[in-house]
Amino acid sequence: MQSSVHPVDEMLPAGKLTALGLQHVLVMYAGAVAVPLIVGRALNLPPEQVAHLISADLFCCGLITLIQAMGATQWFGIKLPVMMGVTFASVAPMVSMAQSTGGSAGAGLIFGSVIGAGIVSILIAPLISRMLRFFPPVVTGTIIAVIGISLMRVGVNWIFGNPVGPTAPSVPNPEHLKWLADAQATAGAPGSSLPPVPKGFAVVPTIPNPKYGDLTGVGISAIVLLSILLIARFAKGFLANVSVLMGILIGGVLSVAMGLMDFSKVAKAEWFTMVLPFEIATPVFDPILILTMSLVMVVVMIESTGMFLALGDMTDRKISQDELTRGLRTDGLGTLIGGIFNTFPYTSFSQNVGLVAVTGVKSRWVCVAGGVILIVLGVLPKMGALVESLPTVVLGGAGLVMFGMVASTGIRILSNVDFQTNRNNAMIVAVSIGVGMIPLVAPNFRQWMPHAIHPLIESGILLASITAVALNIFFNGASSDTSAAVQAARQADAH
């Protein structure tokens, strides 16, 4: 007798459910922990707070996955095998915010923008499907390519060292720093004839930093990259799917063997703790930053639309307009929850959509099991401390792959664009990518512009998005046929 239960709603045996749920977690784990590492270090947060970011992120990933896969009221949850994770599209603007304002103050601005964008996303979810016509493949492909290119700088800095800070290309001369300290002490002494040191006075870095581009670190990054390539080429099935995670593990083992990893933070971390709201910083609500993050979320939700529709095809479940709205609304709810718990914007993780196609397992309860596993990992601080202890050079080799795959996804979408009979499409791509590169190659271009608009123009992704949409309307108009846009969004499931 044929079962009346749809494969999406099928409840599998507990053992199989746990194993398949763990597989989903492993596939997304590297991407899930990468964002808190990037943003936490960009903010120059202390190691224990970066470790907390990772724990809170895993906890929120699990919580939002449960809402999306199980459903919550008639408003939230698409009830498909979906795993939720931090979107890489939000990294570049958050890093820009962190570079403008570091520490807990910068963290408060980021979390405020995330909460604001979450509320906006919940409200506009019903309208997103109507906006598909503004995002044909020429726009979507360009935006995703610029996202990947923008993130590549992060991966390169992981390998060689950051352009600012303790691993910068140059450092101040220690003798000059000592002289300045002595001068400050003398100027502040009673009866001194020396005027006080001017506010903001600093010593210019003039001598090479021996830590920058260290060949040991470069070699570890190269081994991680080579390991990922070899596993992806020669491994089969599940192992090939987690090649990035395996490469990071190999790099971690090598770092331990070379004495480059310090486990003192892991030893000090607690075995269990609760993840509570606003533990790192109190959110600060800046309208421009909220607008910036909201624009990112519009692009993210367009991609989610394609992934939900593709997942409906894979699982033989037709997605209605109401179900699509519930799924997109959950992206917004997840982002709101992320800001409250001091993490970041959330969306459906596309590599897990691909895993559904690879395994053929359609049950949403597999992702529910994965969500439970993520929550458990989130309340184990030692896990977060262990990941934070990884040297950045280990993540560098993996970063080239992860961020490069984002760019290659955009290129793949653009490969289906008509450039022969419509030469204006080439103009749209060329100008949009050029404008998107401005903040990367000339970060100080905005110095004479109004400070209020700096957060809006310092993200190459947002500049490229606005340019691509505007130029597409100018050259091609806004077609009422959304099938091409849906197809482009579906193709984004590789990043």
Side-chain angles (χ1 to χ4, degrees):
M1 183 176 177
Q2 191 172 7
S3 172
S4 61
V5 178
H6 193 281
V8 167
D9 300 317
E10 182 182 3
M11 178 65 74
L12 303 176
K16 190 174 182 181
L17 204 63
T18 303
L20 291 170
L22 180 61
Q23 178 176 250
H24 270 286
V25 170
L26 291 174
V27 166
M28 68 172 289
Y29 191 85
V33 301
V35 176
L37 278 174
I38 296 169
V39 178
R41 286 172 176 170
L43 285 165
N44 292 319
L45 294 177
E48 59 272 11
Q49 289 193 338
V50 176
H52 174 78
L53 273 181
I54 295 170
S55 295
D57 177 40
L58 292 172
F59 177 83
C60 289
C61 282
L63 179 61
I64 302 157
T65 295
L66 293 183
I67 295 173
Q68 189 71 281
M70 292 179 64
T73 74
Q74 73 269 33
W75 301 102
F76 301 102
I78 198 167
K79 297 183 181 179
L80 285 174
V82 176
M83 297 292 292
M84 302 292 287
V86 179
T87 171
F88 275 99
S90 65
V91 171
M94 288 193 296
V95 168
S96 296
M97 296 177 203
Q99 290 172 343
S100 299
T101 309
S104 59
L109 288 170
I110 290 176
F111 300 142
S113 70
V114 172
I115 290 173
I119 295 172
V120 171
S121 300
I122 292 173
L123 295 176
I124 67 173
L127 305 176
I128 292 299
S129 59
R130 301 176 189 175
M131 294 181 63
L132 276 175
R133 60 198 184 103
F134 296 110
F135 289 83
V138 67
V139 173
T140 307
T142 301
I143 293 172
I144 295 176
V146 171
I147 289 172
I149 296 170
S150 299
L151 290 174
M152 197 62 72
R153 178 176 58 179
V154 175
V156 172
N157 288 339
W158 277 348
I159 296 172
F160 298 107
N162 291 316
V164 293
T167 57
S170 299
V171 293
N173 190 317
E175 294 180 3
H176 297 174
L177 291 175
K178 183 178 183 303
W179 178 89
L180 178 60
D182 292 343
Q184 285 176 312
T186 303
S192 173
S193 60
L194 286 175
V197 176
K199 184 179 180 180
F201 182 82
V203 178
V204 176
T206 55
I207 62 175
N209 182 354
K211 292 183 179 180
Y212 184 79
D214 176 61
L215 291 181
T216 301
V218 173
I220 292 174
S221 295
I223 290 172
V224 172
L225 177 58
L226 182 62
S227 300
I228 293 171
L229 296 176
L230 289 173
I231 293 170
R233 170 64 179 86
F234 295 108
K236 302 296 182 183
F238 171 67
L239 192 60
N241 288 336
V242 293
S243 58
V244 171
L245 183 61
M246 294 302 298
I248 291 175
L249 289 176
I250 291 170
V253 171
L254 183 61
S255 298
V256 172
M258 298 177 68
L260 300 178
M261 274 189 74
D262 179 13
F263 292 97
S264 60
K265 290 173 286 190
V266 181
K268 293 177 183 177
E270 298 177 14
W271 280 104
F272 177 84
T273 188
M274 290 298 296
V275 177
L276 301 173
F278 310 124
E279 283 198 79
I280 292 178
T282 302
V284 177
F285 301 99
D286 183 295
I288 296 295
L289 297 183
I290 291 173
L291 175 61
T292 301
M293 198 61 71
S294 297
L295 290 174
V296 171
M297 285 304 297
V298 169
V299 176
V300 167
M301 292 167 80
I302 292 291
E303 294 178 20
S304 292
T305 298
M307 282 184 272
F308 290 148
L309 295 174
L311 199 54
D313 289 342
M314 292 176 194
T315 58
D316 301 317
R317 170 169 279 183
K318 184 175 175 60
I319 306 299
S320 68
Q321 184 70 37
D322 287 343
E323 289 172 326
L324 181 59
T325 300
R326 288 204 304 268
L328 295 176
R329 196 180 281 126
T330 306
D331 277 7
L333 177 64
T335 300
L336 173 60
I337 292 173
I340 291 172
F341 282 94
N342 283 178
T343 60
F344 313 110
Y346 287 86
T347 186
S348 53
F349 246 39
S350 47
Q351 49 263 59
N352 293 88
V353 175
L355 186 59
V356 173
V358 171
T359 62
V361 178
K362 302 174 182 179
S363 173
R364 61 190 171 101
W365 296 103
V366 169
C367 290
V368 170
V372 172
I373 293 171
L374 285 168
I375 291 175
V376 171
L377 292 175
V379 297
L380 299 177
K382 284 190 182 294
M383 181 65 69
L386 179 62
V387 174
E388 198 280 329
S389 299
L390 278 174
T392 54
V393 291
V394 174
L395 298 172
L400 291 184
V401 177
M402 291 191 296
F403 305 148
M405 287 299 291
V406 177
S408 68
T409 298
I411 294 170
R412 190 175 71 250
I413 293 173
L414 289 174
S415 68
N416 294 320
V417 172
D418 178 13
F419 291 110
Q420 286 190 322
T421 61
N422 185 350
R423 290 185 296 174
N424 291 331
N425 283 334
M427 186 75 73
I428 295 169
V429 176
V431 175
S432 300
I433 291 180
V435 172
M437 292 300 98
I438 291 175
L440 289 180
V441 299
N444 295 324
F445 79 100
R446 62 190 186 276
Q447 63 182 354
W448 301 117
M449 299 180 185
H451 186 74
I453 68 170
H454 282 197
L456 193 60
I457 62 176
E458 63 192 1
S459 167
I461 296 171
L462 292 179
L463 288 177
S465 301
I466 294 169
T467 304
V469 171
L471 288 179
N472 180 64
I473 294 173
F474 176 72
F475 283 116
N476 299 327
S479 172
S480 59
D481 181 13
T482 62
S483 58
V486 170
Q487 184 61 29
R490 285 179 179 175
Q491 286 184 281
D493 67 0
H495 84 274

